[in-house]
Structures are given as C-alpha cells and as structure tokens.
Amino acid sequence: MNKLAYRLRTYRSVVGMNIKEMLAYNLWFWSQLGAHLFLTIVYVSFWKALYSERETIAGLTMQQTLTYIILARMIAPLVQWGYTQEFGYWIREGTISSELLRPVDFQERIFVGHLTRTFIALAQQLLVTGSFAVLVFDIRLPTDPLIWLSFLISLLLGCSILFCFDWIFGCVAFYSTEVWGLQVVRGSILMLFSGVLLPLTMLPSSLQTVAQWMPFAQSVSIPVSLLSGITPLDQLGSIWLQQLAWLAAMLMLSRLMFQFSVRKITVQGG
C-alpha cells in the first residue's frame, strides 16, 4: 500500500511537471498552431478541389472526408513525438545514467509524461483548431457523449500502442551514433500509414493490408474514424479488442527490447 501511495505521489509530480512545461512555452505553442492552421487550410482546399467533379471517393462524401481530414490534422501533432531523438540525446550527453538511476520505473515515468502532454495538446487543439474548423469550415462534430467517450478511450489505447512502438524504435539509438535519419524514416512512414494524410480506405488494397499490420493506424485512423462517423459504434467491441491485443504485444516487446538494449551503452560525450 505504501509503495502504491509512493508511486501515485511520484507520478502526480510527473504530471504536474509536464503540465508546467507544456504551458511555459507560449510562443512555441502559437507558432506551431499557426503553421498547423495554415496546413489545414491547404489540405481542405486540396480535397474540395478533388471533390469538385465527383460525389464520393472510396465511398466517402466530401463532408465525411473533410471532417476526417480536419480531425486527423488535429490529432497529428499528438503523434509526431518520437523517442529516438530523446534516447540519442540522453546517450550522447551521458545523462542516460541519471535517468536510469531515478527511484522509479524509467518507462512508466516517461509514459505518464507522454500521456500528460498528449492530452493537454489534444485539449488545446480541440479548443483552438476545433473552434476554427467549426466556424470557418462548417464541420459538424458529434454531440453524443458516447461517441466522444469512445473516441477518447480509443485514442488513449492508440497513443499507448504508438508509445510502445516508439520505445522499441528508440532502442536502436543504443546501437547507432546518428539517430536523426531514424526519426525521419519514422515520421515518413507514420504520415502515410497512420491516416493523417487521407483516410486509409482510400489507399490501394495492398497498402491497406500493410497499414493493418502496422501500429500507426491505431493512433489516428481508428479514433478519428469513430469521431467522424466513418466507423459506426457497433464495431466498437472488435476495435477495442484489437487495440488491447496490439497494446499487450507492443508493451511486452518494448520491455524486452529495452532490457536487452540497455546493456549496450556507449556514451559519446557529456
């Protein structure tokens, strides 16, 4: 009981620290948001032009596609963080030793901070970008609380799956002296197979099959499809079972991969 209370107090401090860090950099937040709104306008203009001579694409109407694209653009900043660069920085500077020596599980601590930042960023995106999209693009967000609750649970599961994948991918930094290229590869694959660029149903069938075997769709395509009405709620049971299976497998692999990789640390400086 005392151990549980200690862990809860520790993670409460981690949550508070991450909230302060997220709210401290106002200029960074507004500059990122401005760039994000500009890209959203570009995306919407592109899709409106694409729908100008047809009623549907891959069975989706223009309203469904625009709602999906705008929501996916709001989720995109939440999944762009990876841990390859962080791992590379900690190893290069030698601070990985102090990170590992803290009296709390390393992966759990980073995960709590990751979820805190994700959901603060989500609240900011919904408040600012969501209001902009409703007023300017006239998108219709659902009013049913059950749909929002389903979306949030699916997003929580999806972000947890992606965190475990990033943890596994970040372990490559223990074997490499340069991780920038790895981060670029991860970002490029995520953009296509997560559903940020377009609904996955618009991909060729062979790429849809590839996307099903990758974890990226769990973090964007599946939650956004629920919120935009593309995926009906009667499929919720199978979706959550699939996400829980993904999470269990990725969590186990991430723990094993880190335990194996951490034995090889070559500090490059610091």
Side-chain angles (χ1 to χ4, degrees):
M1 190 65 183
N2 289 334
K3 285 186 176 179
L4 178 62
Y6 171 77
R7 291 175 75 173
L8 290 177
R9 284 198 304 272
T10 302
Y11 293 138
R12 186 177 61 191
S13 301
V14 172
V15 169
M17 183 175 62
N18 277 276
I19 291 175
K20 290 178 182 176
E21 187 177 317
M22 284 286 292
L23 300 178
Y25 301 103
N26 289 327
L27 180 61
W28 178 85
F29 167 72
W30 287 111
S31 61
Q32 291 287 315
L33 192 61
H36 182 68
L37 286 176
F38 175 75
L39 279 176
T40 302
I41 293 171
V42 172
Y43 273 68
V44 170
S45 302
F46 169 79
W47 282 102
K48 281 185 174 179
L50 210 59
Y51 271 96
S52 61
E53 296 183 354
R54 64 197 77 187
E55 293 291 326
T56 61
I57 298 177
L60 301 179
T61 65
M62 184 176 76
Q63 187 64 39
Q64 285 178 311
T65 302
L66 289 183
T67 303
Y68 176 94
I69 291 297
I70 291 171
L71 290 172
R73 292 299 310 165
M74 285 195 283
I75 301 299
L78 316 185
V79 299
Q80 288 176 344
W81 299 316
Y83 286 92
T84 312
Q85 283 188 310
E86 277 80 358
F87 273 32
Y89 174 80
W90 289 329
I91 294 170
R92 185 174 62 251
E93 298 297 318
T95 56
I96 187 71
S97 56
S98 58
E99 296 289 343
L100 293 173
L101 288 173
R102 295 181 194 276
V104 63
D105 186 276
F106 183 39
Q107 188 175 6
E108 282 184 9
R109 178 171 61 83
I110 300 299
F111 177 65
V112 170
H114 174 83
L115 283 188
T116 304
R117 292 196 300 274
T118 297
F119 280 91
I120 288 178
L122 175 64
Q124 292 171 329
Q125 289 291 334
L126 286 175
L127 184 64
V128 181
T129 312
S131 301
F132 182 83
V134 169
L135 293 173
V136 177
F137 300 129
D138 194 28
I139 69 164
R140 302 180 187 90
L141 295 175
T143 55
D144 186 349
L146 184 59
I147 295 178
W148 281 97
L149 180 62
S150 305
F151 160 73
L152 289 173
I153 293 174
S154 181
L155 182 64
L156 172 65
L157 292 171
C159 288
S160 302
I161 293 167
L162 188 59
F163 171 83
C164 292
F165 170 82
D166 284 333
W167 196 264
I168 295 169
F169 202 63
C171 288
V172 179
F174 286 98
Y175 301 92
S176 174
T177 56
E178 176 53 59
V179 296
W180 178 82
L182 293 172
Q183 189 70 8
V184 172
V185 170
R186 180 249 185 212
S188 303
I189 297 174
L190 182 142
M191 283 292 287
L192 179 61
F193 291 109
S194 67
V196 168
L197 285 178
L198 74 173
L200 293 181
T201 53
M202 293 184 180
L203 290 175
S205 57
S206 57
L207 290 182
Q208 288 185 42
T209 304
V210 173
Q212 288 175 355
W213 288 98
M214 302 187 78
F216 303 112
Q218 308 295 327
S219 60
V220 178
S221 177
I222 289 178
V224 171
S225 293
L226 284 170
L227 192 59
S228 61
I230 294 176
T231 301
L233 285 187
D234 58 10
Q235 297 182 17
L236 203 56
S238 61
I239 288 173
W240 281 353
L241 278 177
Q242 181 185 6
Q243 288 188 305
L244 286 171
W246 263 106
L247 181 58
M250 297 299 288
L251 180 60
M252 182 178 65
L253 283 174
S254 67
R255 303 290 285 193
L256 290 174
M257 183 70 180
F258 185 76
Q259 288 177 12
F260 181 78
S261 303
V262 78
R263 299 172 186 170
K264 178 179 175 60
I265 298 179
T266 304
V267 175
Q268 302 154 24

